Amino acid sequence: MDEILKKLLREEEELQFTSFNEDTAWQIGSQLVKESINNNLPITIDITHGERQLFHASRPGATADNDEWIKRKTRLVYRFGHSSYYMGQFLKSHGKCIEEMYLLPESEYAPHGGCFPVIIKGSGVIGTIAVSGLAQEEDHILVVQTIRDYLSQNN
């Protein structure tokens, strides 16, 4: 379990932006939509900056439940400053649920993969990029790979 947590923390250290704005959100969101079309993925995509929603899209097969999952995953990332997948694996490594460890209701905070913090180098978390609709590890991998691709093309 420690190796998974270390890997997830390394992703957060590696995948940081020098800047992030509406155009960045559009490019990343559009890439996620393109990926979902090419692979027929039934997902919802959401990108925020603070309390502003900069991008939101749902593909065929996604439901209103996916919107609710995204809200809960996003709330978790803003609360803890780590990816929702990291938080889920962290809790699992301690054999506890979020309600036991932090007195937070899972109905409001979802420690399940798919939401990644938008981190500005030297500043911290300023937003989120979230996907819901696949198995949680697949949601996480899709977001991480899209961020990695964007940063490799734009740095």
Side-chain angles (χ1 to χ4, degrees):
M1 181 58 75
D2 284 341
E3 285 307 310
I4 292 170
L5 293 175
K6 287 177 186 173
K7 176 184 178 276
L8 295 171
L9 288 175
R10 278 194 307 272
E11 287 175 349
E12 292 175 12
E13 290 170 14
E14 173 195 347
L15 301 175
Q16 297 187 11
F17 296 81
T18 53
S19 64
F20 191 90
N21 60 26
E22 294 83 353
D23 291 333
T24 313
W26 177 259
Q27 291 171 20
I28 292 171
S30 297
Q31 185 57 42
L32 284 163
V33 168
K34 182 178 173 188
E35 193 70 24
S36 70
I37 292 169
N38 290 343
N39 294 292
N40 197 31
L41 303 177
I43 61 173
T44 296
I45 302 155
D46 190 81
I47 302 177
T48 66
H49 180 267
E51 292 190 16
R52 286 186 63 211
Q53 184 179 54
L54 301 182
F55 188 96
H56 188 88
S58 291
R59 298 288 307 140
T63 69
D65 284 344
N66 298 114
D67 291 320
E68 293 305 312
W69 274 100
I70 281 177
K71 289 175 189 172
R72 293 167 50 224
K73 292 177 189 182
T74 298
R75 193 174 290 121
L76 182 87
V77 171
Y78 278 121
R79 176 77 178 243
F80 292 98
H82 290 291
S83 75
S84 57
Y85 193 53
Y86 172 85
M87 289 305 301
Q89 295 302 306
F90 177 80
L91 290 166
K92 185 177 173 184
S93 75
H94 285 81
K96 300 209 183 255
C97 69
I98 194 162
E99 294 183 11
E100 292 170 316
M101 193 127 174
Y102 296 107
L103 302 176
L104 296 172
E106 193 159 345
S107 61
E108 294 291 318
Y109 297 87
H112 300 275
C115 187
F116 198 86
V118 173
I119 303 167
I120 302 296
K121 289 179 184 172
S123 294
V125 177
I126 58 101
T128 60
I129 300 170
V131 164
S132 175
L134 309 174
Q136 65 168 328
E137 186 174 12
E138 292 174 42
D139 281 347
H140 177 80
I141 290 168
L142 179 59
V143 172
V144 164
Q145 191 55 54
T146 303
I147 294 170
R148 184 172 280 123
D149 292 346
Y150 173 85
L151 290 172
S152 72
Q153 294 168 8
N154 292 281
N155 279 349

